[in-house]
Amino acid sequence: WSPTAARPEPDARDRIPALVGLAGAVVLLVSAFLPWFRIEISGTDLSSTVSGTDGGDGVIIIVLALVAGALALVRLLGKGSSLLGIGLVVTGLLATLIGVVDLGNDDPDDAIVAAFADVSPTVGLWLVILAGLVVTVAGVLMVLSGRARRTGA
């Protein structure tokens, strides 16, 4: 008896979703450090950017990216089941949810600042949403590729 005896060696059909998931996790990780919002003060030349790591959500994105990357890497190396894709789906959906919530939460907390500031989302936040969706789709494809192999398709 061997724990890997029942599991066939992954082929390209199994590894491509894992590779896509790993790439999405890398983009997700990088996006946490990029600017998420640009803040401009009305009537002045003053502006500033806020990255994901300036708040707590960027740290959560980093953790999600590391988890997704680890799951995808394990599958890419042929060490885990295609059910690892469920973990990718969960991490991708959580990252996407954080990005969408932050996208809708672009008003400064201080009422005085809110009256004079124009806050707009920038590349980092858009990449969080996009990479989260890529990780989610890769997870779904990973699970489906495993099901197709079990049914002999």
Side-chain angles (χ1 to χ4, degrees), residues 43 46 67 70 72 79 84 86 104-105 132 136 144 150:
L46 297 175
V67 169
K79 302 294 184 191
L84 289 173
I86 295 171
N105 188 22
T136 301
L144 292 177
R150 281 194 298 274

Side-chain angles (χ1 to χ4, degrees), residues 123-143:
V123 65
L125 188 56
W126 294 114
L127 282 177
V128 166
I129 295 168
L130 179 65
L133 291 172
V134 167
V135 169
T136 301
V137 169
V140 169
L141 292 175
M142 191 183 298
V143 171

Side-chain angles (χ1 to χ4, degrees), residues 26 45 47 53 56:
V26 169
D45 290 336
S47 69
T53 55

